Amino acid sequence: MSQSIAANPDRLLPADPGTRRIARELLQRVQDLPIISPHGHVDAAVIEQNTPFPDPAALLVSPDHYVTRLIHASGVPLDRLRESNTAAPDSRAVWREFCKAWPLFEGTASGYWLRTQFRNVFGLEGELSEATADASYEAIAAKLQEPGFRPRELFKDFNIEVLATTDDPLDSLASHKAIAQDPTFHGRVLPTFRPDAYLNIAHPAWSANVDRLIAAAGDGGTGYGAYLTALENRRNYFVEHGAVSADHGVRTPATLKLDDADAARLFERARSGKASAQDRDDFEAHMMYQMARMSVEDGLVMTIHPGSYRNHHEPTFNTFGADTGHDIPFAINYTEAIRPVLQDFGTAKDFHLVLFTLDETVFSRELAPLAGFYPSVYLGAPWWFLDAPDAMLRFRSAVTETAGFSRSSGFIDDTRAFCSIPARHDASRRIEASFLARLVAEHRVSEDRAHELIVDIVDGSPRRVFKL
Amino acid sequence: MSQSIAANPDRLLPADPGTRRIARELLQRVQDLPIISPHGHVDAAVIEQNTPFPDPAALLVSPDHYVTRLIHASGVPLDRLRESNTAAPDSRAVWREFCKAWPLFEGTASGYWLRTQFRNVFGLEGELSEATADASYEAIAAKLQEPGFRPRELFKDFNIEVLATTDDPLDSLASHKAIAQDPTFHGRVLPTFRPDAYLNIAHPAWSANVDRLIAAAGDGGTGYGAYLTALENRRNYFVEHGAVSADHGVRTPATLKLDDADAARLFERARSGKASAQDRDDFEAHMMYQMARMSVEDGLVMTIHPGSYRNHHEPTFNTFGADTGHDIPFAINYTEAIRPVLQDFGTAKDFHLVLFTLDETVFSRELAPLAGFYPSVYLGAPWWFLDAPDAMLRFRSAVTETAGFSRSSGFIDDTRAFCSIPARHDASRRIEASFLARLVAEHRVSEDRAHELIVDIVDGSPRRVFKL
Amino acid sequence: MSQSIAANPDRLLPADPGTRRIARELLQRVQDLPIISPHGHVDAAVIEQNTPFPDPAALLVSPDHYVTRLIHASGVPLDRLRESNTAAPDSRAVWREFCKAWPLFEGTASGYWLRTQFRNVFGLEGELSEATADASYEAIAAKLQEPGFRPRELFKDFNIEVLATTDDPLDSLASHKAIAQDPTFHGRVLPTFRPDAYLNIAHPAWSANVDRLIAAAGDGGTGYGAYLTALENRRNYFVEHGAVSADHGVRTPATLKLDDADAARLFERARSGKASAQDRDDFEAHMMYQMARMSVEDGLVMTIHPGSYRNHHEPTFNTFGADTGHDIPFAINYTEAIRPVLQDFGTAKDFHLVLFTLDETVFSRELAPLAGFYPSVYLGAPWWFLDAPDAMLRFRSAVTETAGFSRSSGFIDDTRAFCSIPARHDASRRIEASFLARLVAEHRVSEDRAHELIVDIVDGSPRRVFKL
């Protein structure tokens, strides 16, 4: 293994020496601040039970669609990388495939996170290679057995202050409760209300989900009224257990205000299996409006993640399920789509609506103008495919001149890869320092003010936007 | 107040020392050239009457939607910043809100313009702050009483040679006439024909406007024919009073050629209040075609500003009116939309059609290819949300490789904030110098040639494109 | 003539001295590698017959729509630059127009290629100018008479290893055969199957083309079945004569799988002139699906070039024909459009599908995510208006963080301007070096690895993706 570039203290900082000096000092201001992660996909049970992580492949490769997708693109069948509905690959074999494929990750965001983890979490000094696959597997596997590498110990080591999970509306939140009541653990692990499978008629389990929802929380009622009541009740349950936000993974950002009778009619038509495609779109858009209304009432921050064509390759979905690397973004518009919600709630007191996009064109065209007027609207951080150094710089460049720095959500890691959390937040901080350093070097922001801004971006924004 | 970065002579120039040296020299070539402002929203009466500007808040904050929008986004109700239809806020209180909100403007284009004005127009040496709000108010208010700070004196001080206003087709242009006939004033203040409210059926006053138009200039006729005649007559009136362009703020860039009978039928249907949404779109598109036809005949440069969802937040519109910060861009296409006009007039002698966009994606995809073929088409400068350092650099990068430098309109400040004019043109010149300096540093343009180009970009292009 | 910047060894490299040093060394690694040109529009007969090129204007100006379009935009009628359907301009007069217009090309990609040719192919030491138009004409004309400037000699001088042409499906490929059988010529000149005019019902000659196709290669059959057979036969003929790819210039990237009976019905309706606009779209989309199916079977790499509104200005088309500078891009989407093909063939063994775009927004949003999952999908290099230094850097920045370096097609010159081939490939190599140098300077890729990557990008990728 040759020396890893993850060791370089100037990684991701701009090449120009004068700008780099400024960036370095800005970075120092925030490098040791605690991690606040208000949106992600780590399972609370992992923290609660604190059982050691499984082997390197099961931790770092197989479940991570960022990783398996690119290896798959190079021609390796997915069943050699992750579990299918009939078999699971051998971890050592997966790891060997991964090490062989490691050069594919040059220049990618995933490669950056992985390399940083290998060095900074697992202490590997060099680069992965096919030749050393078994050695690196064993080195990481050994670490994973050490007491210091259990989830709670890493949580502390990583300096995480807040970690939000993503949860089914009917989840008991038992793990969250147990963590909150444990006096020996000091981090905050917060649930997030994620009701997609209860709102989207096209979801295969929608009607069954609605049955369970109404039975569990409908206050004994039936129909559309009980459905809304049950959603409200479950949101309140989440609030009581520390939730600060409700997250919505929708196909498009469409919103629509229907009157109660029309909404009830659509609901009943869907329940009897007779909803048309238009009915489905209208109902989902209407339920986004309802979610906004409930957020105004119960205070949960509303986050919207639209614009991904889920499960683009049906054969892969049939064999490997969802979240296996073939969700593909498409063009969206927010200006017209989100207007019904903003007409009624755009200036509502304490309503926070965080808008994410995978379509970069809306950053300067729609999101910065929206967030630069509506008190309720915040710019979601560059997400998923855009959570990468150049893309994050493009985001800042696209939005700042219109909306400044105060209208952004703060960094969102959105990850199920627990060990990548420090690398992701570190990368974000380096990019914020790089962007601000350029503005300082171009005499657009004073150096003093930039030092205040970076602290607010890294620490103030997520606390303020997510009401932490 | 700490030292303002507006004092730095290298502001906005690139950080790399070698490139900055080149940029500095390019900037020197154009820094003292007169300001040519072929499109903006200053009221000619302000210049004609030369009355002192009101207080700092009424001059710099309340009427400027760039400024009030971002303060509003931070949670300050608009009635504490600008006049509603029932009340007007106290100027000193507005100024205090503004000073308190000043940090929000870090990194924004508005912040840059304001900071530059504070120092270079009003002589404030430091940064605004809440603590010094009253002091800065008084300092600016005192200046505004000095004879040197009246509009005509500033006009000269700002080195403005041409300033175009934006005017209603039925405006008498009395102020323009008075200015033109005043031998003591040497600037050119030109009217611009802006007929939106007479062309767009959806405009609430359309039919009343058409009545007035036909009565005033229809040569005694009625109906569609008299309507066209009246428009032609008023355009000629504008030409006689120095106008060089007609400006069109349309929802989309759609154009359509209807035959006279069909157009007349649509016109009558609209006059009787029976136009459908499709009728409205068709008629507006057809009238864009007619405006192009008239421009070919009378020589007025045609400028099109599409792609903004006007008055996005209805409650704000109802209380505060139009142009109050909630116009939000959306995606547009020009390639298909503008084709009917270009089929017939794309190579028409001396027809100049300047196409603006708030959707950056059309710069490289559509506008540069169109302007790089059609002699009539010019690239409108980055406008509104895009009139900002990074956005202007993105524009140059997006269009130059296809269309070179000769097909751009030259800088357009589009402002109603008179005192911001020098700062805006200065920022544009700095960015042009920065872009060219990079091309020189990368040996893509010779330094000698870059010196010629920047003079042509700043001074030659607007004169040529706007026939000045 | 002043000293040409084409002489500078650092041209196109980044300005920052440290990054430039890295870029220089990367460039050295690939500067002398042979040129592989897997997609372009040079006529094979030019190489076969090896007749001297005509005069400078007929070689470098009149047939090149990149060049004539910008001169046309400046107000020079096209008939003074290229042949119309009634007359041809005098070459010396064309050259004078070109020299006069030369300053328009500052900052454009075409200007860069031309300047590089003038110096590096024709040995002109200075800049073109109107004053020296006759002298530069004569200097180039004299060179074109020298034996070393005939096509085969230049082919060798340019260090071209592979040159693909673009050919009609019924082309005899006689020139390709003659070249392949000539033991004195060592380059590979490969045909490319380009069936647009046989697939697109809207093409004016479609039905006549289909007649000829079925007659020539339909195995005696008739109707839709014979049509498919004939296409398969001609593809096989191309494969036998060295073709490695089939190229598709379509309006949109739509694909559609129809069953045989429906497809046959559409075919017959189109043959009898009764196809609706929807029928045409469906049939073309279906034939794209069929082309993919055939590529899976016969191994031809499938390349798709969509998103250009061809012949935007009808009067120009009527007088000067196609490819005369007024094809204008528009917005496209791939995610939904290409799905039918990817559902069935996205993981098919050895199927290579190279997706091009003129709409930059799809690079990060759709193409990188698609190519980063599907083994069959490759990112087409920035093409046409995007084949330019800044646009190529934007491409790399947009796609690399998601898809790495392994999923790109390698550079495509797509040119009919034979003498521009070295300049275009050289520009591409300089930009790849510049992009990688920045990643090295930012410690995102190690210098050693960057040296391997650039060789793979320039040499490995086109060989691998185009099966050379």
Side-chain angles (χ1 to χ4, degrees):
Chain A
M1 291 184 178
S2 63
Q3 170 67 30
S4 167
I5 50 178
N8 196 299
D10 288 336
R11 61 190 186 277
L12 301 190
L13 302 189
D16 172 66
T19 314
R20 179 169 287 182
R21 180 200 55 77
I22 301 167
R24 246 185 232 140
E25 290 174 13
L26 288 166
L27 181 61
Q28 277 179 2
R29 288 295 297 263
V30 294
Q31 218 159 4
D32 297 329
L33 291 178
I35 286 175
I36 297 169
S37 174
H39 179 71
H41 295 269
V42 171
D43 184 353
V46 167
I47 310 295
E48 185 209 352
Q49 292 157 19
N50 204 29
T51 45
F53 287 110
D55 63 82
L59 176 64
L60 299 165
V61 180
S62 296
D64 190 339
H65 55 73
Y66 288 84
V67 177
T68 60
R69 72 193 310 275
L70 200 51
I71 309 178
H72 176 258
S74 78
V76 177
L78 222 43
D79 57 13
R80 277 152 61 184
L81 298 169
R82 56 159 71 234
E83 204 173 336
S84 74
N85 47 23
T86 59
D90 170 68
S91 280
R92 278 181 178 267
V94 170
W95 189 257
R96 273 181 227 120
E97 289 286 2
F98 170 62
C99 288
K100 190 174 159 192
W102 177 237
L104 302 175
F105 290 88
E106 288 293 351
T108 66
S110 302
Y112 181 83
W113 300 325
L114 288 164
R115 178 180 278 128
T116 309
Q117 286 172 75
F118 295 147
R119 184 180 181 281
N120 296 346
V121 179
F122 298 109
L124 300 189
E125 275 306 322
E127 283 283 318
L128 290 194
S129 74
E130 196 181 358
T132 61
D134 287 347
S136 57
Y137 183 95
E138 278 153 31
I140 296 173
K143 291 281 185 193
L144 293 176
Q145 296 310 311
E146 294 179 14
F149 282 77
R150 290 190 310 171
R152 291 189 174 203
E153 282 65 29
L154 288 176
F155 195 105
K156 197 178 164 196
D157 252 29
F158 292 171
N159 196 17
I160 301 174
E161 180 179 319
V162 178
L163 181 75
T165 62
T166 296
D167 307 279
D168 188 280
L170 292 180
D171 194 292
S172 71
L173 307 182
S175 292
H176 296 84
K177 265 189 270 190
I179 294 168
Q181 291 164 2
D182 181 347
T184 69
F185 185 72
H186 298 288
R188 294 172 68 187
V189 179
L190 309 178
T192 301
F193 188 78
R194 170 84 170 233
D196 304 348
Y198 298 77
L199 305 184
N200 177 4
I201 295 174
H203 192 285
W206 179 74
S207 210
N209 287 340
V210 171
D211 285 342
R212 292 190 302 120
L213 177 70
I214 291 177
D219 291 354
T222 59
Y224 176 68
Y227 170 68
L228 288 188
T229 299
L231 286 164
E232 287 165 350
N233 285 338
R234 292 307 300 171
R235 291 174 63 105
N236 287 330
Y237 184 83
F238 271 65
V239 172
E240 286 157 17
H241 291 82
V244 294
S245 75
D247 181 47
H248 305 280
V250 283
R251 188 165 152 83
T252 78
T255 65
L256 179 67
K257 184 185 183 179
L258 296 175
D259 67 31
D260 285 351
D262 288 340
R265 250 191 305 276
L266 277 188
F267 178 83
E268 292 307 335
R269 210 177 303 156
R271 292 283 277 166
S272 60
K274 292 180 185 148
S276 67
Q278 183 66 52
D279 290 344
R280 288 170 186 171
D281 288 352
D282 287 352
F283 190 75
E284 192 176 12
H286 168 72
M287 287 311 297
M288 281 302 100
Y289 181 92
Q290 288 295 328
M291 288 296 109
R293 193 259 305 158
M294 292 181 198
S295 272
V296 170
E297 291 171 5
D298 62 26
L300 285 176
V301 175
M302 181 175 190
T303 61
I304 304 189
H305 288 88
S308 180
Y309 196 117
R310 302 280 174 175
N311 307 311
H312 193 264
H313 191 237
E314 219 172 302
T316 297
F317 175 70
N318 293 339
T319 308
F320 299 95
D323 299 322
T324 50
H326 48 109
D327 296 344
I328 311 289
F330 54 85
I332 62 167
N333 96 72
Y334 262 117
T335 299
E336 193 135 17
I338 202 71
R339 192 168 178 253
V341 156
L342 294 179
Q343 286 289 89
D344 289 359
F345 310 123
T347 59
K349 190 166 154 44
D350 292 335
F351 176 44
H352 290 194
L353 175 62
V354 188
L355 302 179
F356 290 84
T357 183
L358 296 167
D359 174 0
E360 295 188 70
T361 71
V362 308
F363 281 140
S364 80
R365 191 179 61 216
E366 305 179 29
L367 289 186
L370 286 166
F373 174 76
Y374 286 104
S376 65
V377 176
Y378 291 93
L379 290 154
W383 163 54
W384 200 340
F385 297 107
L386 303 177
D387 174 14
D390 280 15
M392 289 193 279
L393 281 175
R394 289 197 300 271
F395 164 75
R396 278 282 172 227
S397 175
V399 304
T400 305
E401 296 180 322
T402 291
F405 291 97
S406 66
R407 309 301 306 154
S408 307
S409 70
F411 183 66
I412 300 291
D413 59 63
D414 188 37
T415 192
R416 53 200 82 220
F418 183 68
C419 293
S420 76
I421 290 176
R424 289 173 192 250
H425 285 258
D426 176 67
S428 163
R429 292 170 187 192
R430 290 172 179 275
I431 294 302
E432 300 293 5
S434 297
F435 181 73
L436 277 167
R438 177 167 69 82
L439 296 200
V440 170
E442 294 170 5
H443 307 295
R444 294 163 64 180
V445 169
S446 71
E447 196 154 0
D448 286 356
R449 187 68 190 119
H451 277 256
E452 294 164 26
L453 282 167
I454 198 164
V455 173
D456 193 62
I457 289 167
V458 169
D459 198 73
S461 288
R463 291 187 198 274
R464 205 163 46 236
V465 175
F466 284 92
K467 305 181 177 176
L468 292 165
Chain B
M1 291 184 179
S2 63
Q3 170 67 28
S4 168
I5 49 179
N8 197 298
D10 288 335
R11 60 191 187 277
L12 300 190
L13 302 188
D16 172 65
T19 313
R20 177 169 287 183
R21 181 201 54 78
I22 301 167
R24 246 185 233 141
E25 291 174 12
L26 288 165
L27 181 60
Q28 277 180 0
R29 287 296 297 262
V30 294
Q31 218 159 2
D32 297 329
L33 291 179
I35 286 176
I36 298 170
S37 173
H39 179 70
H41 295 270
V42 171
D43 184 353
V46 167
I47 311 295
E48 186 208 352
Q49 293 158 18
N50 203 31
T51 44
F53 286 111
D55 65 81
L59 175 65
L60 299 165
V61 180
S62 296
D64 190 339
H65 55 72
Y66 287 84
V67 176
T68 60
R69 73 193 311 275
L70 200 52
I71 309 178
H72 176 258
S74 78
V76 177
L78 222 44
D79 56 13
R80 275 152 62 184
L81 299 170
R82 56 160 70 234
E83 204 173 338
S84 74
N85 48 22
T86 58
D90 171 67
S91 282
R92 279 181 176 268
V94 171
W95 189 257
R96 271 179 228 121
E97 288 287 0
F98 170 61
C99 289
K100 188 173 159 192
W102 176 238
L104 301 175
F105 289 88
E106 288 294 351
T108 66
S110 301
Y112 181 82
W113 300 325
L114 288 164
R115 177 181 278 129
T116 310
Q117 286 174 75
F118 295 147
R119 184 181 180 281
N120 296 346
V121 179
F122 299 108
L124 301 189
E125 276 307 320
E127 283 284 318
L128 291 193
S129 74
E130 196 180 355
T132 60
D134 287 345
S136 56
Y137 184 94
E138 278 152 31
I140 296 173
K143 292 281 186 191
L144 292 176
Q145 295 311 311
E146 296 179 12
F149 280 77
R150 290 190 308 170
R152 291 189 174 204
E153 282 66 29
L154 287 176
F155 196 103
K156 196 176 166 200
D157 252 28
F158 291 170
N159 196 18
I160 299 175
E161 179 179 320
V162 179
L163 181 75
T165 61
T166 295
D167 306 281
D168 187 280
L170 292 180
D171 194 292
S172 70
L173 306 181
S175 292
H176 296 84
K177 266 188 269 192
I179 294 168
Q181 290 164 1
D182 181 347
T184 69
F185 185 71
H186 299 288
R188 294 172 68 188
V189 179
L190 310 178
T192 299
F193 188 78
R194 170 84 172 235
D196 303 349
Y198 298 76
L199 306 184
N200 177 5
I201 295 175
H203 192 284
W206 178 75
S207 211
N209 287 341
V210 171
D211 285 342
R212 292 191 302 121
L213 177 69
I214 291 177
D219 290 353
T222 59
Y224 177 66
Y227 171 67
L228 287 189
T229 299
L231 286 165
E232 287 165 351
N233 285 338
R234 292 307 300 170
R235 291 173 63 104
N236 286 330
Y237 185 82
F238 271 65
V239 172
E240 287 157 17
H241 290 82
V244 295
S245 75
D247 181 47
H248 305 280
V250 283
R251 188 165 152 82
T252 79
T255 65
L256 180 67
K257 184 186 182 179
L258 296 174
D259 66 31
D260 284 351
D262 286 342
R265 249 191 306 275
L266 278 188
F267 178 83
E268 293 307 335
R269 210 177 304 156
R271 292 283 277 166
S272 61
K274 291 179 185 147
S276 67
Q278 184 66 51
D279 290 343
R280 289 171 186 170
D281 288 351
D282 288 351
F283 189 75
E284 191 176 14
H286 167 72
M287 287 311 296
M288 281 302 100
Y289 181 92
Q290 287 296 327
M291 289 296 110
R293 195 257 306 159
M294 293 182 198
S295 273
V296 170
E297 292 169 5
D298 62 25
L300 286 176
V301 175
M302 181 174 190
T303 61
I304 304 189
H305 288 89
S308 180
Y309 196 118
R310 302 279 174 175
N311 307 312
H312 193 264
H313 191 237
E314 218 172 302
T316 296
F317 175 70
N318 292 339
T319 307
F320 300 94
D323 300 321
T324 50
H326 48 108
D327 296 343
I328 311 289
F330 54 85
I332 61 167
N333 97 73
Y334 263 117
T335 298
E336 192 135 19
I338 202 71
R339 193 169 176 252
V341 157
L342 294 179
Q343 287 288 92
D344 290 357
F345 309 123
T347 59
K349 190 165 153 47
D350 292 335
F351 176 44
H352 290 193
L353 175 62
V354 188
L355 303 180
F356 291 84
T357 183
L358 296 167
D359 174 359
E360 296 188 69
T361 71
V362 308
F363 281 140
S364 80
R365 190 179 63 218
E366 306 179 30
L367 289 185
L370 286 166
F373 173 77
Y374 287 105
S376 65
V377 176
Y378 292 93
L379 290 154
W383 163 56
W384 199 340
F385 298 108
L386 303 178
D387 173 14
D390 280 14
M392 290 193 278
L393 281 175
R394 289 197 300 271
F395 163 75
R396 279 281 171 228
S397 176
V399 304
T400 305
E401 296 180 323
T402 290
F405 291 96
S406 66
R407 309 300 307 155
S408 307
S409 69
F411 183 65
I412 301 290
D413 59 61
D414 188 38
T415 191
R416 55 200 82 220
F418 182 68
C419 293
S420 75
I421 290 177
R424 289 174 193 250
H425 285 259
D426 176 67
S428 163
R429 292 170 187 193
R430 290 172 180 277
I431 293 303
E432 300 294 4
S434 298
F435 181 73
L436 278 166
R438 177 167 69 83
L439 296 201
V440 170
E442 293 170 4
H443 307 295
R444 294 164 64 179
V445 168
S446 72
E447 196 154 0
D448 286 356
R449 187 70 189 118
H451 278 255
E452 294 164 27
L453 283 167
I454 197 163
V455 174
D456 194 62
I457 289 168
V458 168
D459 198 73
S461 288
R463 291 187 198 272
R464 205 162 48 237
V465 176
F466 283 92
K467 305 181 178 178
L468 291 166
Chain C
M1 291 185 178
S2 63
Q3 169 67 29
S4 167
I5 51 178
N8 196 299
D10 287 336
R11 61 191 186 278
L12 301 190
L13 301 188
D16 172 65
T19 314
R20 178 169 287 182
R21 182 201 54 77
I22 301 167
R24 247 185 231 141
E25 290 174 13
L26 288 166
L27 181 60
Q28 277 180 0
R29 286 295 298 262
V30 295
Q31 218 159 3
D32 298 328
L33 291 179
I35 285 175
I36 297 169
S37 174
H39 179 70
H41 295 271
V42 171
D43 184 354
V46 167
I47 311 295
E48 186 208 352
Q49 294 158 20
N50 205 29
T51 44
F53 287 111
D55 64 80
L59 176 64
L60 299 165
V61 180
S62 296
D64 190 339
H65 55 72
Y66 287 85
V67 176
T68 60
R69 72 194 311 277
L70 200 51
I71 309 178
H72 176 258
S74 78
V76 178
L78 222 44
D79 57 14
R80 277 152 63 184
L81 298 170
R82 55 160 70 235
E83 203 173 338
S84 73
N85 48 23
T86 58
D90 171 67
S91 281
R92 279 181 177 268
V94 171
W95 189 257
R96 272 181 227 120
E97 289 285 2
F98 170 61
C99 288
K100 188 173 159 193
W102 177 237
L104 301 175
F105 290 88
E106 288 295 350
T108 66
S110 302
Y112 181 82
W113 301 324
L114 288 164
R115 177 180 280 128
T116 310
Q117 286 173 74
F118 294 147
R119 184 181 181 281
N120 295 346
V121 178
F122 298 109
L124 301 188
E125 276 306 322
E127 282 284 317
L128 290 193
S129 74
E130 197 180 357
T132 60
D134 288 346
S136 57
Y137 184 94
E138 278 152 30
I140 296 173
K143 289 282 185 193
L144 292 177
Q145 296 310 311
E146 294 179 15
F149 280 78
R150 290 190 306 170
R152 290 189 175 203
E153 282 66 27
L154 288 177
F155 195 104
K156 197 178 165 197
D157 253 27
F158 291 171
N159 196 17
I160 300 174
E161 181 179 319
V162 179
L163 181 75
T165 62
T166 295
D167 306 279
D168 188 280
L170 292 180
D171 193 293
S172 70
L173 307 181
S175 292
H176 296 85
K177 265 189 271 190
I179 295 168
Q181 290 165 2
D182 182 346
T184 70
F185 185 72
H186 298 289
R188 294 172 68 187
V189 179
L190 309 178
T192 299
F193 188 79
R194 169 83 171 235
D196 304 348
Y198 298 78
L199 306 185
N200 177 6
I201 295 174
H203 192 285
W206 179 74
S207 210
N209 286 341
V210 171
D211 285 342
R212 292 189 303 120
L213 177 69
I214 291 177
D219 291 353
T222 59
Y224 177 67
Y227 170 68
L228 288 188
T229 299
L231 285 165
E232 287 166 349
N233 285 339
R234 292 309 298 171
R235 292 174 62 103
N236 286 330
Y237 184 83
F238 270 66
V239 172
E240 286 157 17
H241 290 82
V244 295
S245 75
D247 181 47
H248 306 280
V250 283
R251 187 165 152 83
T252 78
T255 65
L256 180 66
K257 184 186 183 179
L258 295 174
D259 67 32
D260 285 351
D262 287 340
R265 249 191 306 275
L266 277 188
F267 178 83
E268 294 306 336
R269 210 178 302 156
R271 292 284 277 166
S272 61
K274 292 180 187 147
S276 67
Q278 183 67 51
D279 290 344
R280 288 170 186 172
D281 288 353
D282 287 352
F283 189 75
E284 192 177 13
H286 168 72
M287 287 311 296
M288 281 302 100
Y289 181 91
Q290 288 296 328
M291 289 296 109
R293 194 258 305 158
M294 293 181 198
S295 272
V296 170
E297 291 171 6
D298 63 25
L300 286 176
V301 175
M302 181 175 189
T303 61
I304 304 189
H305 288 89
S308 180
Y309 196 117
R310 302 280 173 175
N311 308 312
H312 193 264
H313 191 237
E314 219 172 302
T316 297
F317 175 70
N318 293 339
T319 307
F320 300 94
D323 299 322
T324 49
H326 48 108
D327 297 343
I328 311 289
F330 54 85
I332 61 167
N333 96 73
Y334 262 117
T335 298
E336 193 134 18
I338 202 70
R339 193 169 176 251
V341 157
L342 295 178
Q343 286 287 92
D344 289 359
F345 310 123
T347 59
K349 191 167 154 44
D350 293 336
F351 176 46
H352 290 193
L353 176 63
V354 188
L355 303 180
F356 290 85
T357 183
L358 295 167
D359 174 359
E360 296 188 70
T361 70
V362 309
F363 281 141
S364 81
R365 190 179 62 217
E366 305 178 31
L367 289 186
L370 286 166
F373 173 75
Y374 287 104
S376 65
V377 176
Y378 291 93
L379 290 155
W383 163 56
W384 199 342
F385 298 107
L386 304 178
D387 173 15
D390 281 13
M392 290 193 279
L393 281 175
R394 289 198 298 271
F395 164 75
R396 279 282 171 227
S397 176
V399 305
T400 305
E401 296 180 323
T402 290
F405 292 96
S406 66
R407 308 302 305 155
S408 306
S409 69
F411 183 66
I412 301 291
D413 59 61
D414 188 37
T415 192
R416 54 200 84 221
F418 183 68
C419 293
S420 77
I421 291 176
R424 288 173 194 250
H425 285 259
D426 176 68
S428 163
R429 291 170 188 192
R430 289 172 180 277
I431 293 302
E432 300 294 4
S434 298
F435 181 72
L436 277 166
R438 176 167 69 83
L439 296 201
V440 171
E442 293 170 4
H443 307 295
R444 294 164 64 180
V445 170
S446 72
E447 196 154 1
D448 287 355
R449 188 68 191 118
H451 278 256
E452 295 165 26
L453 282 167
I454 197 162
V455 173
D456 194 62
I457 289 168
V458 169
D459 198 72
S461 288
R463 292 187 198 274
R464 206 163 46 237
V465 175
F466 284 91
K467 305 181 178 177
L468 292 165

